[in-house]
Amino acid sequence: MNMDDKAARFAAPDAKRDWIPGNIDLRDTWFPVAYSADVGNRPLRRIVHAQDVYLWRELGRVRAAEFRPDLLESRRAGATAFTGGSCYYRVHERYGYVWIWYGNPDNAHADLIPLIPFLPADGAGIPRYTQRSVRFDAASPLSVENLIDLTHADFLHANTIGDGQSESDVVEFSSTSETLTRTRVVTRKSVAPVMRWIGGVRAQYQDLRAVLHVHLRNNLCISYPSFTPGYAIPNVQPFVPVGKHRSRVDQTNYTVHAPAPFRWLMPRISYVIQPQDNSVLRPQNARYFDPGQRRDLSSRFDAPGNRYRVLMTRLAERQRAGDFGYGADADPAQDISAVLGMRP
């Protein structure tokens, strides 16, 4: 399938209520499709928007192609515009991930890889216990929207990261043409169970500052929740789109600065939270493709999520018109340490 065919796969919503996350297919972006440590001499298969990606190493160097290495010569005539007809994707290793360029290979530049300030750029020293892979039965934008939604965690994940009881709860958000940043500041929140039973926090209440920075094109979510008393839990969640009903997340919970055993056990929370989220996302995703049902309801508390939909729709419309460039306000490599509120 060439890029023109793929561009025809998604259509602009006719109205606000017609937001269909599975129809959003944004290009000219880097996707972190695998952990670097998982790529060896044997080919590893990944899928991005129903497009095959095979990863392997030759003399230590990572390669990425549309076909298995043993089939490259016989399948070369079937190479698409995503590889410029060469069969090979543009590929780069950074932050412990293998990134492939999804779009016009002539527009691929390493400085368009989003900056993740709490991970070492060369990936050196990232422990394997911080890396956990999960999958969701929903389109990537729907999974990202769920993460942006502030209310879901307080009732879906109350048994791990705490309920919604607090003295105050303030939410702010900002955006560019390529990113959305949501900040939540909570005072005197009930201590998260995982902090109490694994982290050893014996206080009755905690303060929380949680920042979520979303790169729209590639569904990359950089999160920095910081608990006081307690610890920061910096994490990266790249929602790589497999298709309209599937996404993959190779998550990194970078808990290396927390005490043991919290730093070892906290990353495993992905296996607790994923089934909880998926129990909501799976039926919701299917309803978007049923024309007989109203697809959405929202309230005044959904402002960050509604802004996300507007930004994604604008990007889709711009790309459909042939504009794949990054705006003047968009620099994926910008240092967001201060935005995240990282401690020195």
Side-chain angles (χ1 to χ4, degrees):
M1 181 182 293
N2 62 38
M3 288 200 287
D4 290 336
D5 292 335
K6 291 179 73 64
R9 287 173 48 199
F10 65 94
D14 294 326
K16 184 177 180 179
R17 68 182 180 87
D18 288 328
W19 159 263
I20 303 178
N23 286 356
I24 300 294
D25 182 349
L26 300 175
R27 293 173 303 185
D28 278 19
T29 187
W30 292 97
F31 281 110
V33 293
Y35 296 121
S36 290
D38 286 342
V39 181
N41 295 330
R42 298 181 62 181
L44 178 70
R45 182 174 180 249
R46 291 289 185 262
I47 302 174
V48 179
H49 282 303
Q51 187 90 1
D52 281 339
V53 180
Y54 289 91
L55 307 166
W56 72 97
R57 293 185 186 275
E58 290 181 2
L59 301 176
R61 178 188 174 191
V62 67
R63 308 297 297 271
E66 298 185 74
F67 311 108
R68 294 202 322 261
D70 59 315
L71 298 177
L72 281 173
E73 289 304 318
S74 61
R75 299 285 182 88
R76 190 173 298 276
T80 70
F82 286 92
T83 62
S86 71
C87 293
Y88 289 98
Y89 292 99
R90 300 289 191 268
V91 63
H92 201 86
E93 288 191 81
R94 191 174 292 179
Y95 305 121
Y97 290 99
V98 174
W99 303 70
I100 66 107
W101 179 259
Y102 178 78
N104 185 343
D106 293 336
N107 297 333
H109 301 284
D111 57 4
L112 292 176
I113 295 176
L115 185 140
I116 306 173
F118 48 78
L119 293 181
D122 62 0
I126 297 179
R128 288 294 275 170
Y129 67 77
T130 66
Q131 300 174 333
R132 291 292 183 270
S133 298
V134 293
R135 296 165 181 81
F136 293 95
D137 299 318
S140 289
L142 185 59
S143 298
V144 173
E145 187 181 35
N146 175 68
L147 195 61
I148 293 172
D149 173 31
L150 292 166
T151 60
H152 91 280
D154 292 337
F155 70 88
L156 265 186
H157 312 314
N159 62 336
T160 54
I161 59 179
D163 56 33
Q165 302 299 315
S166 65
E167 186 174 278
S168 67
D169 195 336
V170 178
V171 178
E172 298 177 338
F173 68 94
S174 60
S175 62
T176 70
S177 62
E178 297 281 349
T179 64
L180 182 137
T181 305
R182 186 219 67 203
T183 303
R184 183 185 189 186
V185 178
V186 188
T187 59
R188 289 179 65 81
K189 176 180 174 65
S190 301
V191 171
V194 70
M195 287 279 183
R196 182 180 300 280
W197 304 117
I198 302 176
V201 175
R202 296 293 175 249
Q204 185 176 359
Y205 302 104
Q206 289 177 308
D207 293 338
L208 166 67
R209 185 179 189 271
V211 181
L212 176 68
H213 186 74
V214 180
H215 289 269
L216 304 176
R217 291 199 192 205
N218 57 7
N219 313 297
L220 181 76
C221 298
I222 302 171
S223 182
Y224 200 91
S226 181
F227 295 84
T228 306
Y231 324 105
I233 312 174
N235 65 88
V236 182
Q237 298 183 64
F239 290 86
V240 176
V242 176
K244 292 178 180 289
H245 304 275
R246 190 80 162 170
S247 60
R248 176 189 176 93
V249 184
D250 290 326
Q251 182 172 350
T252 301
N253 276 295
Y254 201 58
T255 53
V256 296
H257 300 297
F262 184 84
R263 67 171 175 265
W264 302 323
L265 297 178
M266 183 61 197
R268 295 177 178 269
I269 199 174
S270 301
Y271 300 141
V272 176
I273 288 179
Q274 185 274 342
Q276 295 170 342
D277 282 330
N278 209 36
S279 68
V280 174
L281 291 171
R282 184 191 298 113
Q284 185 181 1
N285 192 78
R287 292 189 185 105
Y288 280 105
F289 297 94
D290 183 352
Q293 298 190 37
R294 181 173 179 178
R295 298 185 178 101
D296 288 299
L297 295 172
S298 63
S299 74
R300 61 188 177 89
F301 300 106
D302 296 324
N306 289 337
R307 182 62 177 172
Y308 171 72
R309 293 184 178 194
V310 169
L311 294 169
M312 291 290 282
T313 300
R314 286 178 181 173
L315 264 176
E317 290 173 345
R318 187 153 60 83
Q319 291 202 354
R320 193 168 47 255
D323 179 5
F324 297 91
Y326 286 72
D329 66 340
D331 178 11
Q334 179 181 359
D335 188 352
I336 58 170
S337 299
V339 173
L340 296 177
M342 289 178 58
R343 299 169 180 171

